[in-house]
Amino acid sequence: MNQPKPISLYRARLGEGPVYDERNGLLYWLDIEMGRIIVYNENNGKEEYIDLKRRDYISSMCLSETGRLVATLRYGFYWVEADGSATPIAEILERRQDIRFNDGKCDARGRYWAGTMDLNETRAIGALYVLEGSALRPVLHNVTISNGIAWSLDNKTMYYIDSPTKMVKAFRFDLEKGQLGGSWIAVDMRHEEGIPDGMTIDSEGMLWVAVYGGGKVVRYDPSSGEKLEEIKLPVSYTTSVVFGGADMKTLYITTAGREEKEEAGRLFAVELPYKGVPLYRYREKL
Ligand code: BGC
Ligand code: CA
């Protein structure tokens, strides 16, 4: 297996939220704590920044069907323009000082799923929400650090990570209604060093999980919970993953700058013998 290499100039404090646009070869990722979007152009290796005009957290992002950016800021979902201005779509009502939005992703119908987390990372005061058009509703409560989300290729299962549980949970997924049904444990990572963070799925239906504090990304079979591959990085705080590249065989990995290493906080890339599937896009009107 190839080794991941750092490819960004920028070193994030908390690099996260990678999104690949297969229409133009742009890879977007975030520095949650700096309110910055980094745009990496695969075609020429250049990188540009979009800084929020009004300083805020920016924790996850989706592309819309028309190619615009939608993101979760501290308390809600916003359109974000190329000049960094942000317009609210929907916000949560309870603005507690000890929470913020975290990871999120769009489903095959264009709904945007994203959850909140305890800033102290210990209490189950967060929730998972879904945005349908401009209507926001809570889906799960008692979440501590809402993190990676992915759907099975047939959209009958949603995989979900609440990081401190050290498990990937699976829920029966009703794509038509946007509802979760019964759940089970798809992957148990309690014996692993570190905690599961961001996640994506490949064209064989296998999960790729970034292990925060474990310095690696791991490929799991969600039907058996079995570990299939493990790719080590030279940094400890691997936060999220997405597939990109013209052939969808490049795995992009974000990291956090929470250690004294030159590569910490950079975006990494590795060519794999596995293929990803394009992300779904946000639909403004449902
Ligand atoms: C959060 C971080 C957290 C990490 C590990 C990330 O998604 O944004 O604040 O430390 O997960 O749980
Ligand atoms: Ca995350």
Side-chain angles (χ1 to χ4, degrees):
M1 202 68 69
N2 292 325
Q3 291 303 307
K5 297 214 167 51
I7 58 163
S8 68
L9 296 173
Y10 184 62
R11 294 175 64 185
R13 275 168 63 169
L14 182 50
E16 267 281 0
V19 167
Y20 181 69
D21 189 343
E22 72 286 356
R23 295 178 188 169
N24 53 21
L26 297 182
L27 186 281
Y28 298 85
W29 56 292
L30 307 164
D31 188 337
I32 296 184
E33 292 175 357
M34 297 300 286
R36 167 172 277 193
I37 299 171
I38 303 96
V39 191
Y40 171 75
N41 187 331
E42 242 178 29
N43 309 297
N44 57 17
K46 291 224 171 93
E47 96 190 10
E48 287 175 11
Y49 310 117
I50 301 173
D51 289 314
L52 291 179
K53 276 200 171 153
R54 192 171 51 83
R55 184 72 180 266
D56 200 342
Y57 290 103
I58 183 165
S59 69
S60 77
M61 202 164 45
C62 286
L63 287 159
S64 78
E65 288 193 311
T66 54
R68 292 175 74 194
L69 295 175
V70 194
T72 48
L73 306 193
R74 181 162 191 177
Y75 294 121
F77 298 76
Y78 287 70
W79 290 108
V80 176
E81 311 301 337
D83 68 354
S85 55
T87 326
I89 301 170
E91 289 170 297
I92 50 174
L93 298 174
E94 200 195 1
R95 291 173 171 246
R96 295 178 60 140
Q97 284 306 305
D98 45 5
I99 65 164
R100 66 163 168 83
F101 263 103
N102 198 37
D103 210 338
K105 201 171 269 176
C106 285
D107 73 15
R109 285 289 159 85
R111 306 179 190 95
Y112 191 159
W113 298 68
T116 55
M117 62 173 275
D118 173 17
L119 283 170
N120 299 310
E121 308 196 346
T122 51
R123 296 160 306 158
I125 55 173
L128 176 68
Y129 297 86
V130 60
L131 178 72
E132 299 172 280
S134 57
L136 186 61
R137 68 179 153 91
V139 186
L140 295 173
H141 293 280
N142 305 315
V143 175
T144 306
I145 305 178
S146 191
N147 245 321
I149 301 173
W151 287 273
S152 61
L153 301 176
D154 65 6
N155 286 305
K156 288 185 171 152
T157 308
M158 184 175 116
Y159 302 107
Y160 178 61
I161 292 170
D162 179 359
S163 293
T165 65
K166 297 192 66 155
M167 294 191 217
V168 181
K169 256 186 151 182
F171 291 86
R172 271 195 301 110
F173 185 65
D174 185 332
L175 178 63
E176 211 62 49
K177 297 191 179 121
Q179 281 169 4
L180 302 184
S183 69
W184 64 98
I185 294 162
V187 182
D188 186 342
M189 296 172 65
R190 281 177 295 184
H191 56 284
E192 294 276 353
E193 197 186 336
I195 56 175
D197 194 335
M199 159 171 73
T200 195
I201 196 158
D202 68 25
S203 65
E204 295 168 20
M206 301 299 142
L207 296 175
W208 290 82
V209 181
V211 188
Y212 184 88
K216 61 187 175 187
V217 296
V218 184
R219 184 179 192 238
Y220 289 104
D221 181 344
S223 67
S224 63
E226 190 193 343
K227 185 194 283 195
L228 303 172
E229 301 276 2
E230 184 173 287
I231 300 178
K232 288 269 187 199
L233 279 89
V235 294
S236 309
Y237 298 100
T238 32
T239 54
S240 193
V241 282
V242 76
F243 278 96
D247 54 6
M248 289 300 275
K249 287 181 168 176
T250 306
L251 189 69
Y252 289 104
I253 306 158
T254 53
T255 69
R258 290 184 166 147
E259 61 190 322
E260 295 294 318
K261 282 184 186 159
E262 209 279 320
E263 299 107 318
R266 295 195 200 272
L267 174 71
F268 283 73
V270 59
E271 297 305 315
L272 294 179
Y274 304 102
K275 238 174 116 126
V277 287
L279 297 173
Y280 298 118
R281 290 173 185 252
Y282 171 70
R283 270 190 217 168
E284 194 173 353
K285 293 198 172 65
L286 286 177

